[in-house]
């Protein structure tokens, strides 16, 4: 048994959730926040048999896309902000960060 942990952008969350249900996967959704952009994310925890991991990854890959987005950097912590001029920067957002970890034991009550 494996635990698939997928951190996805909020924009992809509903589409991924629906696709997982359609393919017969059960998932727990957790609200999370990214550290770099401080933007909302959703973390999915999906328990599945070892042989179904490629199927889960296929669903995630098909529903979580990388996109370009203009963001204004957050002002520096500490120090003066007199010389700080925030210029928008184009960064890649979206996609999914996926971790697959072994599950030693699973209980359902």
């Amino acid at each position: 048994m494996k635990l698939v942990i997928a951190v996805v952008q909020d924009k992809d969350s509903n589409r991924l959730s629906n696709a997982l249900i359609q393919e017969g996967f059960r998932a727990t959704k957790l609200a999370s926040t990214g550290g770099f952009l401080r933007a909302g994310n959703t973390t999915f925890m999906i328990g599945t048999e070892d042989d179904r991991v490629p199927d889960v990854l296929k669903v995630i890959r098909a529903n979580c896309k990388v996109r370009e987005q203009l963001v204004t950097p957050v002002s520096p912590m500490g120090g003066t902000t007199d010389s700080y001029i925030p210029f928008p920067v184009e960064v890649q957002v979206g996609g999914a960060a996926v971790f697959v970890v072994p599950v030693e034991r699973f209980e359902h009550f």
Side-chain angles (χ1 to χ4, degrees):
M1 177 142 235
K2 299 285 190 228
L3 176 63
V4 179
I5 303 167
V7 182
V8 305
Q9 190 178 33
D10 279 343
K11 288 182 180 180
D12 297 326
S13 175
N14 287 335
R15 183 174 50 252
L16 178 58
S17 182
N18 291 336
L20 288 169
I21 291 168
Q22 185 175 353
E23 293 296 322
F25 294 106
R26 297 171 74 185
T28 298
K29 289 172 50 173
L30 304 170
S32 53
T33 303
F36 177 63
L37 297 176
R38 294 186 175 95
N41 292 325
T42 302
T43 300
F44 287 84
M45 295 174 44
I46 308 154
T48 190
E49 295 78 19
D50 290 8
D51 61 335
R52 296 220 47 211
V53 170
D55 298 330
V56 172
L57 297 177
K58 182 178 176 182
V59 172
I60 294 169
R61 189 175 291 113
N63 289 280
C64 300
K65 302 295 182 190
V66 174
R67 58 187 74 76
E68 301 290 327
Q69 179 176 322
L70 284 174
V71 297
T72 303
V74 178
S75 62
M77 302 290 282
T80 63
T81 58
D82 297 336
S83 63
Y84 179 73
I85 302 172
F87 290 104
V89 178
E90 190 171 59
V91 296
Q92 286 188 338
V93 297
V98 182
F99 305 89
V100 180
V101 296
V103 174
E104 184 176 320
R105 183 175 172 173
F106 172 75
E107 301 273 344
H108 183 80
F109 301 103

